[in-house]
Amino acid sequence: DAKTTQPPSMDCAEGRAANLPCNHSTISGNEYVYWYRQIHSQGPQYIIHGLKNNETNEMASLIITEDRKSSTLILPHATLRDTAVYYCIVRSPLMIYNQGGKLIFGQGTELSVKP
Amino acid sequence: EAQVTQNPRYLITVTGKKLTVTCSQNMNHEYMSWYRQDPGLGLRQIYYSMNVEVTDKGDVPEGYKVSRKEKRNFPLILESPSPNQTSLYFCASSFSGLRSYEQYFGPGTRLTVT
């Protein structure tokens, strides 16, 4: 699985958009970008995933650059409840290629949403 | 409600006393997995199961056992717990194949071994 690089921490004002970057310059053609978050010692929570097109769901938007070497997770209107560690993960969707579906959580970005 | 449940949520035990942490999911997922989370080391996979009666080691399987006799349950067994197994444990489940993008995690079990 490709390695990812994220800033260790970010701040965001409540109500503003939070833009969390991720670098994955060694991503291969069959690997997707996934985002999870972990709110203080709770179980990680899936947010969104994508291959090469921009994606949006009820939680967030995912922007992937054309060369797929980086991406940005956007929380359009951050709330205090969005304070969490956000993990960018790159892997093949097929479990046979990633040791039984293992998710490799790096250090992530600790997002603090402030009033 | 779709969920992964773990029991107990908190456990303090002594070295060598066998314990089991249960994990159950109600989503008919084929895939289940156990992770442990330690400060500075992140989440590491202990064991996983692709389906009933199919289990395999993850990155840190030493000192743990698992079984998958039913699709919904995937218990984690510590036959002889030691202090270095003090950790926060998470169970996860998902569909397999191309529907595996969303893994659901349980609330965690905080284990202390003295």
Side-chain angles (χ1 to χ4, degrees):
Chain A
D1 294 340
K3 183 176 178 179
T4 62
T5 304
Q6 300 177 251
S9 64
M10 293 182 64
D11 289 340
C12 178
E14 189 178 19
R16 303 297 293 271
N19 296 279
L20 292 92
C22 180
N23 185 289
H24 33 78
S25 58
T26 60
I27 191 170
S28 61
N30 68 345
E31 290 181 321
Y32 283 62
V33 180
Y34 300 80
W35 283 83
Y36 280 75
R37 73 180 183 184
Q38 185 175 25
I39 298 172
H40 186 60
S41 296
Q42 296 180 21
Q45 176 189 23
Y46 164 84
I47 301 172
I48 199 168
H49 76 285
L51 180 62
K52 55 183 178 180
N53 297 320
N54 298 338
E55 302 287 346
T56 296
N57 63 20
E58 64 278 4
M59 287 184 69
S61 295
L62 174 60
I63 309 297
I64 302 174
T65 58
E66 193 167 340
D67 64 6
R68 302 209 322 123
K69 292 184 177 182
S70 65
S71 60
T72 301
L73 178 75
I74 301 171
L75 307 178
H77 304 287
T79 71
L80 298 179
R81 290 181 295 179
D82 291 321
T83 292
V85 179
Y86 288 77
Y87 297 98
C88 171
I89 299 168
V90 173
R91 63 187 273 264
S92 165
L94 296 178
M95 289 186 165
I96 60 173
Y97 295 125
N98 53 59
Q99 194 177 327
K102 178 176 66 177
L103 296 173
I104 300 176
F105 292 86
Q107 296 306 306
T109 295
E110 187 168 5
L111 175 68
S112 296
V113 180
K114 300 182 184 302
Chain B
E1 179 189 356
Q3 60 181 350
V4 177
T5 57
Q6 295 180 226
N7 283 292
R9 295 288 313 282
Y10 302 90
L11 179 61
I12 301 174
T13 189
V14 297
T15 299
K17 185 177 181 181
K18 180 179 178 180
L19 67 91
T20 299
V21 183
T22 64
C23 172
S24 182
Q25 50 92 6
N26 63 359
M27 296 165 280
N28 202 34
H29 286 161
E30 298 89 8
Y31 173 84
M32 298 186 75
S33 176
W34 278 102
Y35 291 84
R36 61 177 287 175
Q37 185 172 28
D38 303 289
L41 297 176
L43 285 105
R44 294 177 291 167
Q45 190 185 57
I46 303 171
Y47 268 95
Y48 65 94
S49 170
M50 299 298 285
N51 214 322
V52 175
E53 301 291 2
V54 181
T55 63
D56 207 345
K57 297 176 181 179
D59 293 325
V60 287
E62 296 77 20
Y64 304 93
K65 285 176 56 178
V66 293
S67 68
R68 187 91 181 273
K69 294 184 172 61
E70 303 167 284
K71 197 171 187 180
R72 65 182 294 130
N73 296 323
F74 190 44
L76 180 69
I77 303 157
L78 285 73
E79 294 269 2
S80 183
S82 64
N84 66 11
Q85 292 178 298
T86 292
S87 187
L88 180 57
Y89 292 86
F90 292 103
C91 180
S93 74
S94 75
F95 292 110
S96 60
L98 290 177
R99 297 179 66 189
S100 68
Y101 58 83
E102 181 174 3
Q103 289 194 22
Y104 291 77
F105 283 78
T109 295
R110 189 170 292 279
L111 172 66
T112 302
V113 183
T114 61

